[in-house]
Amino acid sequence: MPHMSLLSNQEASRPGYYLPHHAVIKEESLTTKTRVLFDGSAKTSTGVSLNDTFMIGPTIQDDLFLIVTRFRPHPLVITADIRQMYRQIRVTDNDRFYQKVLWRKNQDEPIKTYSLNTVTFGTACAPFLAIRTLHQLADDEKDAFPEAAKILKRDFYVDDLQTSAKTINEARQLRDELIKLLQKGGFSLCKWASNKPELSQDLSSETSNKYMSLDPSDMIKVLGIHWDPKSDSILYSVNLSDSNDRATKRSILSQCSKLFDPLGLLGPVIVVGKIIIQQLWKHQLGWDDQVPPDVHEMWLEYKKQLPLLNSVRYQRCIVHNSSIDSQLHGFCEASEKAYGACLYLRSTDNRGNYHCELICSKSRVAPLKTMTLPKLELCTTALLVQLFNSTIRSLRIDFWKKVFWSYSTIALNWINSPPHTLLTFVANRVSEIQATTKPTDWRHVPTLDNPADCISRGQGPHGFLNNTLWTHGPQCLSCYENNWPQFDFKLSEVPEKRSP
């Protein structure tokens, strides 16, 4: 089916919408270097755009955090893209009149009116329509391809596949089933990559262009994350502007937004940028106002060190190959500037050795409205539980033990109290925490052994590079459980209690 069709004069005069469009050149693209961008948000003479009239549809796929987290537990991974996904999905005949475009090949030809026949990038409902089509395909073919159907609904972020497997045979079977399943819907997968080159290089006896595989020695970008298949590691690429223009709220926000870190592996560094941004709002600056000297000095020092992050690497796989059991350990901490939480997976191999790897983290700046430190510390325990709930949904690992660590003795006493005995602010958060965890899951950790302290204080890239506490957790997690910190945190008087 052609992607657009010429309309007769009578058809062109039907009520509809003309989509403005222009070409975009993307030199780094491996497949389509020239793309056409359609603007469904352009206002008509009525002051209403096409996108204003659309219902965008609900979110029916997992969020980015869940998909990226799910990329890390298993030893084998494969990635791919659906080739020209939107252009494989038809739009009904009556709706095509709302996707009219004006076009001519050269200036010597008259301008003609065409209708776009497929889902169009630039319209508000396009992502939902495309994802819903994939889900329907999975439902229709789940009896013939049960595992591939699950992956199609679970491990695709729009047109990007990012999935993992335990064995090479399982990965190869999954890959082949996905190819056949998507062919049933008229889709084809391309730009294959894997940490095992044979999974992306023995695809088919057909032409290699159809199943184009990426060079396993090249670093590739997977859902915004830089991944090196050869070393199977996650890394970062920081390319900030060298411009010497004056620092403004606009320029600082623009530079900070380039630090994409959905897993929070750079948590202590990212929180420094968040604190700087909060200071800009605190001073009530305009977008192009020059920042105060103290904030400017902080920003220049931070920006100068950011390129050091190009040398940061994390192993993608967080579970040891010969693991016989796994534990999940969460840490949280707060300061007057920020608070955060981080999760670690501790694997025990068949020789009795322990391996601890950072899974993810979340950070928040402290609210501008003054709040006591114990309440901030309670907020960070609630943040840790929220992070745990999201991560446990994604990893699909049976953990032998779950332990949550906090330095705050007051917060730990609140968690060990019945919520009805506490004042409202504390009671609400304690109820949330107790709904997922048991009071016996919580332990006290000294500040020096708490990696979440790195988030609460923030850390520049220079100091972050050698921070093994952050990367692998405290040394005590590499020891037997009887060597873990032991501390009786019971208090005789707990604040924020209701009057009898």
Side-chain angles (χ1 to χ4, degrees):
M1 183 189 70
H3 298 304
M4 70 179 188
S5 302
L6 178 64
L7 298 179
S8 65
N9 291 335
Q10 182 178 0
E11 290 174 322
S13 63
R14 283 186 55 176
Y17 182 88
Y18 285 87
L19 278 167
H21 57 92
H22 64 274
V24 175
I25 309 298
K26 194 174 182 181
E27 291 290 346
E28 64 271 21
S29 175
L30 296 174
T31 52
T32 311
K33 294 188 181 297
T34 303
R35 300 171 183 264
V36 182
L37 180 64
F38 298 93
D39 185 7
S41 296
K43 303 291 185 182
T44 66
S45 57
T46 63
V48 178
S49 71
L50 181 65
N51 283 344
D52 290 336
T53 66
F54 275 142
M55 297 180 69
I56 61 174
T59 300
I60 56 174
Q61 65 178 5
D62 280 345
D63 63 33
L64 183 64
F65 173 81
L66 295 179
I67 294 175
V68 174
T69 304
R70 211 153 39 225
F71 189 56
R72 302 193 69 195
H74 297 313
L76 299 175
V77 288
I78 50 177
T79 68
D81 285 355
I82 298 177
R83 187 194 301 272
Q84 297 181 343
M85 176 183 178
Y86 285 8
R87 297 180 71 180
Q88 314 310 315
I89 304 171
R90 296 182 185 180
V91 172
T92 58
D93 292 345
N94 289 334
D95 290 339
R96 293 173 189 172
F97 293 100
Y98 295 96
Q99 296 189 155
K100 293 188 288 188
V101 295
L102 299 175
W103 177 255
R104 62 181 176 186
K105 291 183 179 179
N106 55 61
Q107 294 184 351
D108 297 329
E109 290 189 0
I111 296 175
K112 298 177 182 178
T113 301
Y114 296 81
S115 69
L116 302 177
N117 301 330
T118 58
V119 169
T120 300
F121 185 82
T123 55
C125 59
F128 169 77
L129 293 175
I131 296 165
R132 180 65 181 84
T133 301
L134 290 186
H135 285 203
Q136 186 62 49
L137 176 61
D139 291 338
D140 292 345
E141 303 294 337
K142 64 184 178 182
D143 292 335
F145 308 102
E147 291 303 318
K150 292 178 185 177
I151 297 300
L152 188 57
K153 297 182 77 168
R154 190 188 67 201
D155 288 349
F156 272 83
Y157 193 79
V158 190
D159 61 342
D160 291 315
L161 166 66
Q162 182 174 290
T163 192
S164 58
K166 294 180 180 178
T167 66
I168 194 164
N169 288 334
E170 179 185 329
R172 185 178 284 115
Q173 181 179 352
L174 182 59
R175 178 203 65 190
D176 294 342
E177 281 194 10
L178 280 169
I179 291 173
K180 293 175 183 177
L181 170 59
L182 285 164
Q183 284 176 344
K184 293 283 187 180
F187 300 102
S188 63
L189 287 164
C190 64
K191 293 198 287 186
W192 288 91
S194 175
N195 58 336
K196 289 291 183 182
E198 55 265 37
L199 288 174
S200 60
Q201 293 174 348
D202 64 346
L203 284 162
S204 173
S205 58
E206 301 180 41
T207 59
S208 59
N209 287 335
K210 181 175 180 181
Y211 295 108
M212 180 183 58
S213 301
L214 302 181
D215 189 332
S217 64
D218 289 345
M219 180 188 72
I220 65 174
K221 205 170 183 180
V222 184
L223 298 181
I225 293 178
H226 292 86
W227 173 53
D228 180 4
K230 188 174 182 180
S231 63
D232 198 15
S233 56
I234 295 171
L235 47 125
Y236 293 87
S237 178
V238 180
N239 296 305
L240 299 181
S241 170
D242 293 329
S243 171
N244 292 320
D245 295 343
R246 63 195 182 100
T248 63
K249 184 165 76 172
R250 187 188 305 276
S251 66
I252 292 176
L253 283 172
S254 175
Q255 301 276 18
C256 287
S257 65
K258 297 178 181 178
L259 299 174
F260 184 66
D261 183 33
L263 290 175
L265 302 182
L266 303 178
V269 176
I270 297 296
V271 79
V272 176
K274 291 181 178 181
I275 291 171
I276 292 174
I277 292 171
Q278 186 187 56
Q279 290 298 312
L280 298 177
W281 256 266
K282 187 176 181 180
H283 285 88
Q284 299 182 342
L285 299 174
W287 282 105
D288 296 306
D289 293 344
Q290 192 159 354
V291 302
D294 57 333
V295 179
H296 185 253
E297 183 179 350
M298 186 189 307
W299 165 247
L300 288 181
E301 180 61 27
Y302 181 66
K303 179 182 176 183
K304 182 176 70 174
Q305 294 186 31
L306 284 177
L308 295 174
L309 297 177
N310 289 325
S311 61
V312 173
R313 283 179 177 256
Y314 288 91
Q315 282 301 307
R316 179 205 56 82
C317 187
I318 53 178
V319 180
H320 195 268
N321 288 337
S322 58
S323 174
I324 58 175
D325 76 61
S326 298
Q327 298 181 6
L328 189 69
H329 290 260
F331 295 83
C332 56
E333 184 59 285
S335 74
E336 294 178 350
K337 291 184 177 180
Y339 60 92
C342 48
L343 288 175
Y344 293 81
L345 189 147
R346 189 181 97 145
S347 303
T348 307
D349 64 25
N350 50 19
R351 295 184 178 181
N353 298 317
Y354 303 108
H355 309 270
C356 193
E357 298 291 340
L358 174 66
I359 304 173
C360 56
S361 78
K362 288 287 184 185
S363 62
R364 299 281 188 272
V365 290
L368 292 177
K369 183 179 179 181
T370 303
M371 186 182 294
T372 64
L373 191 56
K375 285 187 175 180
L376 283 173
E377 289 167 335
L378 181 63
C379 288
T380 195
T381 59
L383 179 65
L384 174 57
V385 170
Q386 293 165 10
L387 182 63
F388 164 76
N389 288 334
S390 298
T391 304
I392 208 77
R393 274 182 52 203
S394 179
L395 287 181
R396 294 175 288 128
I397 295 176
D398 293 326
F399 290 104
W400 176 71
K401 194 180 189 68
K402 298 182 285 288
V403 185
F404 304 93
W405 303 83
S406 173
Y407 172 73
S408 172
T409 55
I410 295 178
L412 290 172
N413 276 272
W414 280 333
I415 293 171
N416 279 267
S417 301
H420 70 272
T421 65
L422 304 169
L423 295 181
T424 304
F425 179 94
V426 176
N428 289 342
R429 285 151 183 81
V430 169
S431 296
E432 179 185 350
I433 294 166
Q434 292 182 355
T436 300
T437 67
K438 302 174 183 177
T440 53
D441 293 335
W442 291 84
R443 294 182 178 230
H444 181 273
V445 60
T447 297
L448 294 178
D449 288 334
N450 190 352
D453 186 61
C454 304
I455 298 180
S456 68
R457 299 177 185 275
Q459 193 169 33
H462 186 270
F464 177 76
L465 291 181
N466 299 316
N467 190 345
T468 57
L469 174 65
W470 174 254
T471 308
H472 299 290
Q475 186 64 34
C476 64
L477 292 188
S478 299
C479 304
Y480 292 110
E481 186 172 341
N482 56 7
N483 292 324
W484 291 357
Q486 304 291 331
F487 184 81
D488 184 10
F489 53 80
K490 300 293 184 180
L491 297 177
S492 56
E493 291 292 332
V494 180
E496 299 289 325
K497 283 225 170 190
R498 291 182 184 274
S499 301

PDB file of all heavy atoms in Angstrom, residues 414 417-424 426-428 430-431 434 496-500:
ATOM      1  N   TRP A 414       9.204   5.401  63.993  1.00  0.00           N
ATOM      2  CA  TRP A 414       7.883   5.647  63.395  1.00  0.00           C
ATOM      3  C   TRP A 414       7.421   4.415  62.604  1.00  0.00           C
ATOM      4  O   TRP A 414       6.262   4.017  62.680  1.00  0.00           O
ATOM      5  CB  TRP A 414       7.945   6.860  62.469  1.00  0.00           C
ATOM      6  CG  TRP A 414       7.874   8.173  63.194  1.00  0.00           C
ATOM      7  CD1 TRP A 414       7.279   8.405  64.392  1.00  0.00           C
ATOM      8  CD2 TRP A 414       8.397   9.425  62.747  1.00  0.00           C
ATOM      9  NE1 TRP A 414       7.406   9.740  64.735  1.00  0.00           N
ATOM     10  CE2 TRP A 414       8.084  10.394  63.735  1.00  0.00           C
ATOM     11  CE3 TRP A 414       9.106   9.843  61.627  1.00  0.00           C
ATOM     12  CZ2 TRP A 414       8.441  11.732  63.616  1.00  0.00           C
ATOM     13  CZ3 TRP A 414       9.460  11.179  61.500  1.00  0.00           C
ATOM     14  CH2 TRP A 414       9.142  12.116  62.499  1.00  0.00           C
ATOM     15  N   SER A 417       5.865   1.794  64.613  1.00  0.00           N
ATOM     16  CA  SER A 417       4.709   2.229  65.422  1.00  0.00           C
ATOM     17  C   SER A 417       3.409   2.018  64.648  1.00  0.00           C
ATOM     18  O   SER A 417       3.394   2.116  63.414  1.00  0.00           O
ATOM     19  CB  SER A 417       4.848   3.714  65.772  1.00  0.00           C
ATOM     20  OG  SER A 417       6.041   3.966  66.490  1.00  0.00           O
ATOM     21  N   PRO A 418       2.307   1.744  65.321  1.00  0.00           N
ATOM     22  CA  PRO A 418       1.005   1.678  64.644  1.00  0.00           C
ATOM     23  C   PRO A 418       0.648   3.061  64.094  1.00  0.00           C
ATOM     24  O   PRO A 418       0.764   4.066  64.819  1.00  0.00           O
ATOM     25  CB  PRO A 418       0.040   1.257  65.764  1.00  0.00           C
ATOM     26  CG  PRO A 418       0.916   0.657  66.823  1.00  0.00           C
ATOM     27  CD  PRO A 418       2.214   1.388  66.750  1.00  0.00           C
ATOM     28  N   PRO A 419       0.238   3.182  62.838  1.00  0.00           N
ATOM     29  CA  PRO A 419      -0.033   4.504  62.244  1.00  0.00           C
ATOM     30  C   PRO A 419      -1.077   5.314  63.002  1.00  0.00           C
ATOM     31  O   PRO A 419      -0.974   6.550  63.050  1.00  0.00           O
ATOM     32  CB  PRO A 419      -0.526   4.146  60.828  1.00  0.00           C
ATOM     33  CG  PRO A 419       0.078   2.812  60.536  1.00  0.00           C
ATOM     34  CD  PRO A 419       0.118   2.100  61.853  1.00  0.00           C
ATOM     35  N   HIS A 420      -2.079   4.649  63.603  1.00  0.00           N
ATOM     36  CA  HIS A 420      -3.145   5.403  64.279  1.00  0.00           C
ATOM     37  C   HIS A 420      -2.637   6.153  65.515  1.00  0.00           C
ATOM     38  O   HIS A 420      -3.349   7.015  66.041  1.00  0.00           O
ATOM     39  CB  HIS A 420      -4.304   4.469  64.662  1.00  0.00           C
ATOM     40  CG  HIS A 420      -3.973   3.518  65.768  1.00  0.00           C
ATOM     41  ND1 HIS A 420      -3.402   2.275  65.538  1.00  0.00           N
ATOM     42  CD2 HIS A 420      -4.131   3.622  67.127  1.00  0.00           C
ATOM     43  CE1 HIS A 420      -3.230   1.660  66.694  1.00  0.00           C
ATOM     44  NE2 HIS A 420      -3.665   2.444  67.682  1.00  0.00           N
ATOM     45  N   THR A 421      -1.433   5.831  65.977  1.00  0.00           N
ATOM     46  CA  THR A 421      -0.886   6.519  67.150  1.00  0.00           C
ATOM     47  C   THR A 421      -0.077   7.755  66.766  1.00  0.00           C
ATOM     48  O   THR A 421       0.423   8.456  67.649  1.00  0.00           O
ATOM     49  CB  THR A 421       0.013   5.567  67.965  1.00  0.00           C
ATOM     50  OG1 THR A 421       1.167   5.208  67.179  1.00  0.00           O
ATOM     51  CG2 THR A 421      -0.750   4.306  68.361  1.00  0.00           C
ATOM     52  N   LEU A 422       0.043   8.026  65.457  1.00  0.00           N
ATOM     53  CA  LEU A 422       0.899   9.108  64.976  1.00  0.00           C
ATOM     54  C   LEU A 422       0.070  10.231  64.372  1.00  0.00           C
ATOM     55  O   LEU A 422      -1.073  10.023  63.932  1.00  0.00           O
ATOM     56  CB  LEU A 422       1.875   8.563  63.919  1.00  0.00           C
ATOM     57  CG  LEU A 422       2.754   7.380  64.367  1.00  0.00           C
ATOM     58  CD1 LEU A 422       3.475   6.776  63.174  1.00  0.00           C
ATOM     59  CD2 LEU A 422       3.760   7.846  65.421  1.00  0.00           C
ATOM     60  N   LEU A 423       0.651  11.429  64.316  1.00  0.00           N
ATOM     61  CA  LEU A 423      -0.017  12.561  63.687  1.00  0.00           C
ATOM     62  C   LEU A 423      -0.105  12.359  62.171  1.00  0.00           C
ATOM     63  O   LEU A 423       0.634  11.549  61.586  1.00  0.00           O
ATOM     64  CB  LEU A 423       0.721  13.850  64.015  1.00  0.00           C
ATOM     65  CG  LEU A 423       0.719  14.258  65.501  1.00  0.00           C
ATOM     66  CD1 LEU A 423       1.475  15.567  65.707  1.00  0.00           C
ATOM     67  CD2 LEU A 423      -0.711  14.385  66.034  1.00  0.00           C
ATOM     68  N   THR A 424      -0.975  13.110  61.525  1.00  0.00           N
ATOM     69  CA  THR A 424      -1.403  12.822  60.145  1.00  0.00           C
ATOM     70  C   THR A 424      -0.245  12.695  59.159  1.00  0.00           C
ATOM     71  O   THR A 424      -0.161  11.716  58.407  1.00  0.00           O
ATOM     72  CB  THR A 424      -2.373  13.911  59.664  1.00  0.00           C
ATOM     73  OG1 THR A 424      -3.475  13.988  60.570  1.00  0.00           O
ATOM     74  CG2 THR A 424      -2.886  13.574  58.267  1.00  0.00           C
ATOM     75  N   VAL A 426       2.937  12.052  59.465  1.00  0.00           N
ATOM     76  CA  VAL A 426       3.749  10.863  59.702  1.00  0.00           C
ATOM     77  C   VAL A 426       2.930   9.601  59.482  1.00  0.00           C
ATOM     78  O   VAL A 426       3.393   8.636  58.855  1.00  0.00           O
ATOM     79  CB  VAL A 426       4.334  10.890  61.129  1.00  0.00           C
ATOM     80  CG1 VAL A 426       5.099   9.616  61.428  1.00  0.00           C
ATOM     81  CG2 VAL A 426       5.226  12.111  61.310  1.00  0.00           C
ATOM     82  N   ALA A 427       1.691   9.598  59.959  1.00  0.00           N
ATOM     83  CA  ALA A 427       0.845   8.406  59.867  1.00  0.00           C
ATOM     84  C   ALA A 427       0.620   7.999  58.416  1.00  0.00           C
ATOM     85  O   ALA A 427       0.642   6.799  58.088  1.00  0.00           O
ATOM     86  CB  ALA A 427      -0.492   8.651  60.556  1.00  0.00           C
ATOM     87  N   ASN A 428       0.385   8.978  57.528  1.00  0.00           N
ATOM     88  CA  ASN A 428       0.140   8.659  56.118  1.00  0.00           C
ATOM     89  C   ASN A 428       1.339   7.944  55.487  1.00  0.00           C
ATOM     90  O   ASN A 428       1.182   6.970  54.739  1.00  0.00           O
ATOM     91  CB  ASN A 428      -0.174   9.929  55.335  1.00  0.00           C
ATOM     92  CG  ASN A 428      -1.540  10.489  55.678  1.00  0.00           C
ATOM     93  OD1 ASN A 428      -2.385   9.784  56.227  1.00  0.00           O
ATOM     94  ND2 ASN A 428      -1.758  11.754  55.360  1.00  0.00           N
ATOM     95  N   VAL A 430       3.841   6.362  57.102  1.00  0.00           N
ATOM     96  CA  VAL A 430       4.087   5.082  57.767  1.00  0.00           C
ATOM     97  C   VAL A 430       3.123   4.020  57.236  1.00  0.00           C
ATOM     98  O   VAL A 430       3.508   2.861  57.016  1.00  0.00           O
ATOM     99  CB  VAL A 430       3.968   5.234  59.291  1.00  0.00           C
ATOM    100  CG1 VAL A 430       3.951   3.869  59.973  1.00  0.00           C
ATOM    101  CG2 VAL A 430       5.117   6.080  59.830  1.00  0.00           C
ATOM    102  N   SER A 431       1.882   4.408  56.993  1.00  0.00           N
ATOM    103  CA  SER A 431       0.906   3.461  56.429  1.00  0.00           C
ATOM    104  C   SER A 431       1.365   2.975  55.063  1.00  0.00           C
ATOM    105  O   SER A 431       1.263   1.776  54.743  1.00  0.00           O
ATOM    106  CB  SER A 431      -0.470   4.122  56.313  1.00  0.00           C
ATOM    107  OG  SER A 431      -0.984   4.449  57.589  1.00  0.00           O
ATOM    108  N   GLN A 434       4.332   0.554  55.625  1.00  0.00           N
ATOM    109  CA  GLN A 434       3.939  -0.730  56.215  1.00  0.00           C
ATOM    110  C   GLN A 434       3.066  -1.565  55.289  1.00  0.00           C
ATOM    111  O   GLN A 434       2.948  -2.784  55.472  1.00  0.00           O
ATOM    112  CB  GLN A 434       3.213  -0.486  57.540  1.00  0.00           C
ATOM    113  CG  GLN A 434       4.112   0.062  58.639  1.00  0.00           C
ATOM    114  CD  GLN A 434       3.376   0.244  59.951  1.00  0.00           C
ATOM    115  OE1 GLN A 434       2.163   0.057  60.031  1.00  0.00           O
ATOM    116  NE2 GLN A 434       4.109   0.613  61.003  1.00  0.00           N
ATOM    117  N   GLU A 496       5.870  13.373  67.274  1.00  0.00           N
ATOM    118  CA  GLU A 496       4.718  13.317  66.372  1.00  0.00           C
ATOM    119  C   GLU A 496       3.707  12.235  66.745  1.00  0.00           C
ATOM    120  O   GLU A 496       3.057  11.657  65.886  1.00  0.00           O
ATOM    121  CB  GLU A 496       5.175  13.117  64.925  1.00  0.00           C
ATOM    122  CG  GLU A 496       6.050  14.208  64.374  1.00  0.00           C
ATOM    123  CD  GLU A 496       5.284  15.524  64.120  1.00  0.00           C
ATOM    124  OE1 GLU A 496       4.096  15.438  63.726  1.00  0.00           O
ATOM    125  OE2 GLU A 496       5.867  16.599  64.322  1.00  0.00           O
ATOM    126  N   LYS A 497       3.574  11.972  68.078  1.00  0.00           N
ATOM    127  CA  LYS A 497       2.586  11.003  68.532  1.00  0.00           C
ATOM    128  C   LYS A 497       1.287  11.722  68.921  1.00  0.00           C
ATOM    129  O   LYS A 497       1.318  12.848  69.422  1.00  0.00           O
ATOM    130  CB  LYS A 497       3.108  10.209  69.729  1.00  0.00           C
ATOM    131  CG  LYS A 497       4.110   9.111  69.349  1.00  0.00           C
ATOM    132  CD  LYS A 497       3.757   7.841  70.093  1.00  0.00           C
ATOM    133  CE  LYS A 497       4.567   6.660  69.584  1.00  0.00           C
ATOM    134  NZ  LYS A 497       4.075   5.397  70.132  1.00  0.00           N
ATOM    135  N   ARG A 498       0.162  11.057  68.661  1.00  0.00           N
ATOM    136  CA  ARG A 498      -1.109  11.632  69.052  1.00  0.00           C
ATOM    137  C   ARG A 498      -1.248  11.624  70.579  1.00  0.00           C
ATOM    138  O   ARG A 498      -0.720  10.738  71.259  1.00  0.00           O
ATOM    139  CB  ARG A 498      -2.269  10.843  68.448  1.00  0.00           C
ATOM    140  CG  ARG A 498      -2.394  10.962  66.946  1.00  0.00           C
ATOM    141  CD  ARG A 498      -3.601  10.183  66.452  1.00  0.00           C
ATOM    142  NE  ARG A 498      -3.683  10.209  65.008  1.00  0.00           N
ATOM    143  CZ  ARG A 498      -4.273  11.179  64.317  1.00  0.00           C
ATOM    144  NH1 ARG A 498      -4.856  12.201  64.964  1.00  0.00           N
ATOM    145  NH2 ARG A 498      -4.324  11.127  63.014  1.00  0.00           N
ATOM    146  N   SER A 499      -1.969  12.590  71.073  1.00  0.00           N
ATOM    147  CA  SER A 499      -2.237  12.615  72.515  1.00  0.00           C
ATOM    148  C   SER A 499      -3.197  11.484  72.862  1.00  0.00           C
ATOM    149  O   SER A 499      -4.132  11.194  72.121  1.00  0.00           O
ATOM    150  CB  SER A 499      -2.869  13.949  72.929  1.00  0.00           C
ATOM    151  OG  SER A 499      -1.996  15.009  72.588  1.00  0.00           O
ATOM    152  N   PRO A 500      -2.983  10.806  73.978  1.00  0.00           N
ATOM    153  CA  PRO A 500      -3.860   9.700  74.380  1.00  0.00           C
ATOM    154  C   PRO A 500      -5.287  10.201  74.606  1.00  0.00           C
ATOM    155  O   PRO A 500      -5.522  11.320  74.988  1.00  0.00           O
ATOM    156  CB  PRO A 500      -3.255   9.188  75.655  1.00  0.00           C
ATOM    157  CG  PRO A 500      -2.001   9.935  75.910  1.00  0.00           C
ATOM    158  CD  PRO A 500      -1.897  11.048  74.933  1.00  0.00           C
TER     159      PRO A 500
END
